[in-house]
Amino acid sequence: MAVVAGVLVGLMAALQAYFMVLEMFLWDRAPGRQLSGFDAEMAVATKPLAANQGLYNGFLAAGLVWGLVADDPVGFQVTVFFLVCVLIAGIYGAITANPRILIAQTLPAALGLAAVLIAG
């Protein structure tokens, strides 16, 4: 189970890094606009907000990587903390922005957290 947990946490870190790139660097281009559903004008207008949001996703990715490479008990604790952060952010995002976030972010975080706790 530890291997499954590690793979899921690694995938969550990669997903958060992907969101960071989309929001910080590609928001007003086709991939970012496809994610947001905004037209070109709205994408340009919201680009600073998206970049700020992307920065937070980068911190989440970094924290998950830290949890993967740190020795236990710190690695376990850091991983649980950052997965809970992703889970809460996903729930909040689904309520306030787009329900699809439950599938794209919350569900993977919940699966990763469950695996980490079981392996734990």
Side-chain angles (χ1 to χ4, degrees):
M1 185 53 96
V3 172
V4 171
V7 168
L8 290 174
V9 172
L11 289 173
M12 277 306 304
L15 184 62
Q16 295 307 307
Y18 173 71
F19 291 150
M20 179 195 74
V21 170
L22 277 176
E23 293 167 346
M24 290 187 78
F25 306 110
L26 302 174
W27 190 253
D28 58 348
R29 296 192 173 106
R33 287 180 47 210
Q34 187 176 18
L35 175 71
S36 69
F38 291 157
D39 62 24
E41 183 179 347
M42 182 62 83
V44 169
T46 59
K47 187 174 180 177
L49 298 172
N52 188 51
Q53 185 172 300
L55 183 63
Y56 289 108
N57 282 319
F59 291 142
L60 292 172
L64 292 169
V65 170
W66 174 26
L68 282 174
V69 301
D71 291 330
D72 287 333
V74 172
F76 174 80
Q77 294 164 342
V78 166
T79 301
V80 169
F81 173 78
F82 279 96
L83 284 171
V84 169
C85 288
V86 173
L87 190 69
I88 292 168
I91 292 168
Y92 184 79
I95 291 168
T96 61
N98 190 325
R100 293 182 306 178
I101 295 172
L102 281 175
I103 301 300
Q105 185 169 342
T106 310
L107 180 60
L111 293 173
L113 180 61
V116 167
L117 292 174
I118 290 168

